[in-house]
Amino acid sequence: MATSYDQWIELATKQMKGKGPESLNWKSPEGITIKPMYHAEDTKDLESFSMFPGMAPYTRGPMATMYAGRPWTIRQYAGFSTAKASNEFYRKNLAAGQKGLSVAFSLSTHRGYDSDNPRVSGDIGKAGVAIDSIEDMKILFDGIPLDQMSVSMTMNGAVIPILAMWIGAAEEQGVKQEELNGTIQNDILKEYLTRNTYIYPPEPSMRIVSDIMAYSSKNMPRYNTISISGYHIMEAGADSVLQCAFTLADGVEYVRAALASGMDVDTFAPRLSFFFGVGMNFFMEIAMLRAARFLWYKLMQQFNPKKPQSSMLRTHVQTSGWSLTEQDPYNNIIRTTIEAMSAALGGTQSLHTNSFDEAVCLPTEFSARIARNTQIIIQEESQICRVADPLGGSYYVEWLTNQIVEGAEKIINEIEEMGGMAKAIATGMPKMRIEESAARRQARIDQGKDVIVGVNKYRLKDEKLDFEILEVPDSVRLEQIDRINHIKKTRDNAKTQACLEAVTKAAAGKDNLLEAAIAAAKARATVGEISDAMEKVFGRFVATTQCVSGAYSSEYSEAGSDSAQVIDTMRKRTDDFMAKTGRRPRILVTKMGQDGHDRGIKVVASSYADLGFDVDISPMFQTPEEAAKMAIENDVHIVGASSLAAGHKTLVPELIGELKKNGAEEIMVVAGGVIPPSDYQFLYDAGCKGIYGPGTPITESAGKVMDMLEEKYCK
């Protein structure tokens, strides 16, 4: 028997004891008001979303039968330590059912430094595999047939030498360039937005992107020349609307750059690919992937493509690393499974699932196996691959898809009015909006408004980590240095230098940079040498570091509420400190080493400023010596060192040592970020005064910092 909407309202109101269903409305982080029920009226004007899979505008997927014809590619992102160790790891995963490779490079490699550079002593092999030369690349893919294997490489800053070495290694393996299949990320714009593993300024970096696209279109017809990434935008704090808008705006900027270089849209556009991140808002993530396909089709029409593939968004997806928790870490297996399901139901073409231990340490073989098997079980046991876009036609999903389309389109139009994404990035607008979103999210978590199980609700009283911790020893750095020294002794140095001069000449002129770098790589030039050869012309980019204010505190409830009192109490303590000492408590927040993830330090800096601290935030990529010098010059009371990439056992003790060496022992050091609890005592013994891991509320860490400062200066 059919019922009306009014009848449903009456029934729901009765069951809610007179409150009415509108009392259950929820406002998402994107600002979308979500109702407790959707029906045909909500989707009556959305006929464009009801098309078939494989047909424009591709909302329901780029392929007609989707996973019923072929499941998504299981492509686990991995790399650590040496090329030999990573190669063994890859071969085991491939033998166990993984279908493609996705290479994680060392932070030193990302930033164009060789392993013997003193600036990167704490980074070698810690968050990816260290590659210094073509010999390392050959070892990395030893026994892996590159004419048969799709290889994705996440590389942007040092993209020229790394891609050149991969091409050279393949040729020395006997594989022709036209046989190579895979994707290079080559997405430099998002580095200025979030990830920060840039080397050169924006203008020459965009030239590098164009040169790679031009060379690959001519010589590597099966190769995808760019993967336009929203993943790091999400990880930096963006909600789904911001991730969708900024990622697609980046894509439009790359299309225009390629066209400006003289390329035809149908030559390069079919090989553009995307890379999105998915978090825990299940239906929102599904809707975002569907909305992105619809919007990309619409955006590409301005370039008049003739091939359908030129307007078809294909994407890789990775589950969130930020959503993983140090507390009760086995919960992360469940989180990753939910996120993987949203990626699949959203229509991804390939997927990486994070390991449950990544909020604590590098993934072990045990945790990586669980992550990989999560995908295999979804593909083989859940039966969701039997039907293309099984959620298509859902009132809620279709309505939500349209909400993201409208929200993202509004932001994209704003960016267009600014002159495109490159100019928008120059104003700082996208970065500030992402950081504001991150600060607001942290405030909601700290208040318990956004539940994180095991962190701010259902937390265990006694918690012990009972799994293996993977640690990369310093011997990896020493081994890499030995290999560099051997290569430099045995190569034809005159030939190498001539090739490096050709790279510099190409940078200064119009010759293709990738072509010149391939010759240099084959001549055994190192990553650092090729990067330096371009830096002579391009220079090295240094970003201006800023942080938002007011976003964290504005998320707290009205005056007089319990949560607002927490803010008021902290502000009173910082005011009292100023009254007693003559100045506010002053903290330097720093991110040492080459890890560019700055969400943590930006959220801490913004939040502490809202709580009444004077906050200095260091430039990215500082050495311990530089951080200590800045702390002394700025006369801070305390330094907060953020760690994410396993360099804490090197960098934090060195920072403390530099402060002591310069007679500034009174400046205290605390640490935060991804630090295994088993390393806490090591850092305490080195002189660290406090450690605040993932999930620590900002107000809690600020309270403990004030305890230390009051004890030292106010007694």
Side-chain angles (χ1 to χ4, degrees):
M1 179 179 176
T3 57
S4 69
Y5 181 66
D6 289 340
Q7 287 174 307
W8 178 81
I9 292 285
E10 182 181 351
L11 177 63
T13 303
K14 181 179 179 181
Q15 293 178 354
M16 290 288 295
K17 302 186 186 308
K19 289 183 180 179
E22 70 280 353
S23 66
L24 296 176
N25 286 358
W26 171 66
K27 198 164 191 176
S28 77
E30 294 78 11
I32 300 170
T33 299
I34 309 294
K35 302 186 299 182
M37 193 277 288
Y38 288 83
H39 61 113
E41 283 294 308
D42 295 297
T43 59
K44 65 180 181 180
D45 298 323
L46 305 182
E47 290 85 357
S48 62
F49 288 91
S50 301
M51 299 298 291
F52 295 100
M55 297 178 65
Y58 307 110
T59 314
R60 302 195 64 190
M63 306 302 292
T65 58
M66 289 301 290
Y67 309 141
R70 177 186 174 187
W72 68 87
T73 300
I74 299 171
R75 189 189 298 278
Q76 290 298 94
Y77 179 58
F80 64 96
S81 186
T82 63
K84 184 176 184 293
S86 291
N87 172 264
E88 291 171 357
F89 187 80
Y90 293 158
R91 291 169 73 169
K92 285 181 181 178
N93 282 357
L94 292 171
Q98 187 174 311
K99 301 300 182 183
L101 292 177
S102 183
V103 182
F105 292 99
S106 176
L107 294 167
S108 53
T109 305
H110 275 287
R111 295 269 292 146
Y113 294 115
D114 287 335
S115 296
D116 58 357
N117 192 302
R119 292 197 68 86
V120 297
S121 61
D123 296 300
I124 308 303
K126 298 288 177 66
V129 59
I131 297 293
D132 293 310
S133 71
I134 193 173
E135 292 297 334
D136 288 336
M137 194 69 81
K138 287 170 68 177
I139 294 169
L140 185 65
F141 292 103
D142 182 43
I144 298 173
L146 292 177
D147 56 343
Q148 301 172 34
M149 181 60 58
S150 173
V151 177
S152 172
M153 294 188 289
T154 299
M155 178 54 66
N156 301 286
V159 63
I160 285 286
I162 286 299
L163 185 54
M165 288 174 185
W166 184 68
I167 292 168
E171 290 185 336
E172 293 187 12
Q173 192 187 80
V175 179
K176 298 177 182 177
Q177 291 187 26
E178 57 265 31
E179 296 177 300
L180 292 172
N181 182 24
T183 303
I184 188 78
Q185 190 164 94
N186 195 27
D187 175 8
I188 199 62
L189 288 177
K190 63 94 175 164
E191 299 300 327
Y192 303 112
L193 272 176
T194 58
R195 183 66 178 87
N196 298 309
T197 51
Y198 42 70
I199 300 176
Y200 313 111
E203 187 175 345
S205 294
M206 287 296 289
R207 185 265 177 99
I208 287 171
V209 172
S210 297
D211 274 13
I212 289 172
M213 293 171 75
Y215 183 90
S216 301
S217 295
K218 180 180 178 182
N219 299 287
M220 303 162 67
R222 301 174 62 198
Y223 197 67
N224 299 313
T225 53
I226 188 169
S227 175
I228 303 150
S229 176
Y231 179 80
H232 294 104
I233 294 173
M234 176 197 75
E235 290 290 277
D239 59 47
S240 293
V241 169
L242 289 173
Q243 181 185 182
C244 185
F246 292 153
T247 306
L248 298 185
D250 280 350
V252 170
E253 193 79 1
Y254 292 129
V255 171
R256 288 182 176 141
L259 292 173
S261 71
M263 298 177 67
D264 177 75
V265 66
D266 288 311
T267 300
F268 67 85
R271 287 193 300 282
L272 298 177
S273 67
F274 287 80
F275 173 25
F276 285 97
V278 292
M280 284 298 291
N281 191 345
F282 186 72
F283 288 106
M284 190 71 72
E285 311 299 353
I286 294 167
M288 178 192 66
L289 295 175
R290 301 173 91 250
R293 286 192 293 269
F294 175 88
L295 279 170
W296 185 245
Y297 172 81
K298 186 175 180 180
L299 288 166
M300 284 300 294
Q301 300 319 297
Q302 64 187 295
F303 304 113
N304 301 312
K306 295 178 176 58
K307 292 181 180 179
Q309 294 86 349
S310 297
S311 305
M312 189 184 293
L313 184 147
R314 296 160 302 114
T315 189
H316 173 72
V317 169
Q318 181 172 341
T319 61
S320 175
W322 182 83
S323 70
L324 303 177
T325 66
E326 177 191 83
Q327 298 83 0
D328 209 357
Y330 289 114
N331 289 343
N332 295 332
I333 298 172
I334 303 161
R335 293 186 178 101
T336 295
T337 303
I338 291 169
E339 292 169 353
M341 287 288 287
S342 69
L345 293 172
T348 187
Q349 280 59 70
S350 63
L351 177 61
H352 166 89
T353 36
N354 285 332
S355 299
F356 74 85
D357 51 0
E358 290 186 54
V360 179
C361 61
L362 295 171
T364 63
E365 187 173 332
F366 170 72
S367 65
R369 178 174 175 269
I370 293 173
R372 182 190 65 246
N373 286 353
T374 299
Q375 293 197 54
I376 295 173
I377 289 168
I378 292 173
Q379 283 190 356
E380 301 288 347
E381 296 187 28
S382 73
Q383 308 305 326
I384 67 168
C385 293
R386 301 293 186 186
V387 177
D389 190 29
L391 292 181
S394 157
Y395 299 141
Y396 177 40
V397 170
E398 298 292 1
W399 176 86
L400 195 56
T401 299
N402 187 60
Q403 291 295 303
I404 295 178
V405 165
E406 291 180 351
E409 197 164 37
K410 183 178 178 181
I411 296 170
I412 291 169
N413 289 338
E414 183 181 351
I415 291 167
E416 288 293 287
E417 290 172 4
M418 298 174 77
M421 195 57 170
K423 291 184 178 178
I425 288 171
T427 70
M429 180 274 277
K431 194 172 185 68
M432 294 300 281
R433 290 203 186 169
I434 293 167
E435 291 172 6
E436 180 182 354
S437 175
R440 291 185 183 280
R441 179 77 197 279
Q442 187 63 50
R444 291 195 301 273
I445 292 169
D446 287 352
Q447 295 174 81
K449 291 180 178 179
D450 290 359
V451 173
I452 310 293
V453 174
V455 175
N456 60 9
K457 197 172 183 180
Y458 311 112
R459 185 156 186 172
L460 298 175
K461 289 183 179 179
D462 297 311
E463 208 170 345
K464 294 181 180 178
L465 295 181
D466 59 351
F467 53 80
E468 177 190 359
I469 300 293
L470 177 62
E471 186 170 345
V472 176
D474 192 55
S475 59
V476 169
R477 180 178 67 89
L478 300 177
E479 181 180 334
Q480 289 297 120
I481 291 172
D482 285 344
R483 293 183 60 77
I484 291 171
N485 291 337
H486 177 74
I487 286 168
K488 288 183 177 180
K489 287 178 182 177
T490 56
R491 70 188 181 186
D492 182 340
N493 277 298
K495 180 179 179 181
T496 305
Q497 290 306 314
C499 288
L500 289 170
E501 289 171 9
V503 172
T504 301
K505 181 181 176 183
K510 294 185 178 180
D511 292 343
N512 190 282
L513 282 164
L514 180 56
E515 186 171 355
I518 291 171
K522 290 179 179 179
R524 272 45 189 178
T526 66
V527 167
E529 289 173 326
I530 296 173
S531 298
D532 289 347
M534 291 186 285
E535 188 180 339
K536 289 178 181 178
V537 177
F538 297 154
R540 187 171 276 266
F541 182 70
V542 179
T544 301
T545 304
Q546 298 175 306
C547 62
V548 298
S549 61
Y552 182 85
S553 58
S554 68
E555 278 294 323
Y556 277 76
S557 303
E558 297 177 0
S561 67
D562 289 343
S563 57
Q565 285 178 4
V566 172
I567 298 290
D568 293 341
T569 299
M570 280 303 309
R571 285 175 172 167
K572 185 178 185 306
R573 291 181 72 180
T574 54
D575 287 345
D576 289 346
F577 185 90
M578 182 173 68
K580 291 176 180 177
T581 66
R583 63 193 186 107
R584 291 195 170 276
R586 187 163 193 145
I587 184 170
L588 169 66
V589 184
T590 184
K591 191 72 181 287
M592 297 178 290
Q594 299 303 306
D595 179 30
H597 288 102
D598 61 355
R599 175 180 184 149
I601 61 168
K602 291 296 183 66
V603 167
V604 169
S606 299
S607 307
Y608 272 51
D610 284 0
L611 297 175
F613 285 75
D614 278 343
V615 179
D616 297 305
I617 183 167
S618 78
M620 297 297 294
F621 315 119
Q622 283 197 315
T623 63
E625 181 181 7
E626 290 165 344
K629 182 181 178 182
M630 185 174 180
I632 294 167
E633 289 177 348
N634 290 15
D635 195 20
V636 303
H637 297 103
I638 194 162
V639 178
S642 174
S643 175
L644 185 65
H648 53 276
K649 291 179 74 172
T650 300
L651 299 171
V652 173
E654 286 184 6
L655 169 63
I656 295 168
E658 287 292 332
L659 290 170
K660 288 181 179 178
K661 188 170 77 173
N662 289 278
E665 298 94 333
E666 75 280 1
I667 298 177
M668 294 181 284
V669 174
V670 296
V674 179
I675 301 173
S678 57
D679 289 347
Y680 281 18
Q681 194 58 51
F682 175 88
L683 295 180
Y684 286 136
D685 291 343
C688 187
K689 300 300 183 184
I691 303 170
Y692 312 112
T696 304
I698 294 290
T699 50
E700 179 184 317
S701 69
K704 291 180 178 179
V705 166
M706 282 306 303
D707 290 343
M708 288 187 279
L709 294 177
E710 288 164 349
E711 175 70 24
K712 187 177 181 70
Y713 294 100
C714 299
K715 291 281 184 173

